[in-house]
Amino acid sequence: MLATVLCGVMLAGCSSGGGGGNGDAKAQAKPAAEPKPLAEGALRPLLLSQSDLGAGYVQVQEKPDSQKYDDVSVQGCPSLEKLGQGAEENMFASKAETSFTYDTDATLGEELHSDRPSVLSSKLRQLFGAYTSCPSYTMTAGTTPIEVKVTKSATPELGDEQFAYTSTMKLPSGAQVLKTMAVRKGNIAVMLVGAPALVDRHIKAAVGKLPASS
């Protein structure tokens, strides 16, 4: 399903970021060390499951990353084009993901990313900044050009930082609306993308599965 592929594309981008510091004052205390990234194995149990979501959801079989989005490109938005070019070098330290269909025609995808909190914050700001920098652009999936319109969305007061936008895509089968929302809590970021009602319904549960102090 084309909409499912595009749902994954909206989740997949990761922007560049990083941080550093120096201090040579002998008497000055060192700043507290940031929490280290969690490994994928520690993230995977924190993903939403069918039991978390309720009736009507079916988990989608995952595909290797290398097979997912090779035929998808973006035109008409320089910041997104640049983001795509640097995707391989700019991944977060670790990631776990899953996705579901709901009543056969709606989708919900989730990714958990982990890195140092300052890196997560920087990358999420750049990622969502890129996606909301252009009110419209063209996405090509294979040979099919798709017009995409983007608007910023309100976010719930969850975690340490929240980001969201809504995309409306003109597909051959008709208009498709997807919402992308991310919440950072310490050194973990939850990102959901899918039908707006599903994202809004399950973001609290997704954040609630994270450790109290991550």
Side-chain angles (χ1 to χ4, degrees):
M1 181 188 297
L2 182 56
T4 302
V5 174
L6 294 176
C7 177
V9 172
M10 307 305 277
L11 262 174
C14 289
S15 59
S16 62
N22 55 58
D24 53 6
K26 295 181 180 180
Q28 186 176 10
K30 294 182 178 179
E34 289 190 288
K36 294 181 180 179
L38 299 182
E40 178 187 354
L43 292 177
R44 191 155 292 280
L46 306 177
L47 289 166
L48 291 169
S49 65
Q50 286 176 276
S51 60
D52 296 318
L53 299 176
Y57 292 85
V58 177
Q59 192 165 16
V60 178
Q61 185 67 34
E62 295 179 24
K63 295 181 179 180
D65 284 347
S66 60
Q67 299 178 15
K68 286 183 177 179
Y69 316 122
D70 290 344
D71 62 345
V72 177
S73 60
V74 170
Q75 302 85 37
C77 186
S79 57
L80 278 182
E81 293 175 41
K82 183 178 179 180
L83 189 71
Q85 293 168 0
E88 289 300 321
E89 298 84 9
N90 299 322
M91 297 296 287
F92 293 103
S94 58
K95 178 183 75 172
E97 62 183 313
T98 189
S99 60
F100 303 86
T101 58
Y102 178 67
D103 285 350
T104 71
D105 61 352
T107 59
L108 179 69
E110 180 187 20
E111 285 188 1
L112 294 178
H113 294 282
S114 186
D115 214 314
R116 290 183 292 116
S118 63
V119 175
L120 271 181
S121 179
S122 173
K123 288 185 176 184
L124 287 170
R125 288 178 181 277
Q126 191 166 351
L127 173 64
F128 278 77
Y131 270 102
T132 57
S133 65
C134 302
S136 63
Y137 60 90
T138 300
M139 178 186 295
T140 302
T143 59
T144 304
I146 300 162
E147 183 181 343
V148 183
K149 296 185 182 297
V150 179
T151 57
K152 291 183 179 181
S153 301
T155 58
E157 291 296 326
L158 296 170
D160 300 312
E161 291 182 283
Q162 314 86 25
F163 310 84
Y165 64 87
T166 300
S167 306
T168 302
M169 295 170 288
K170 290 186 177 180
L171 303 177
S173 58
Q176 175 80 37
V177 180
L178 295 177
K179 189 170 188 176
T180 303
M181 184 179 295
V183 174
R184 181 184 69 82
K185 185 178 179 183
N187 62 347
I188 304 175
V190 176
M191 195 179 297
L192 295 185
V193 60
L198 301 187
V199 172
D200 291 340
R201 184 184 306 167
H202 296 296
I203 187 63
K204 186 174 181 180
V207 175
K209 296 194 72 169
L210 302 186
S213 179
S214 56

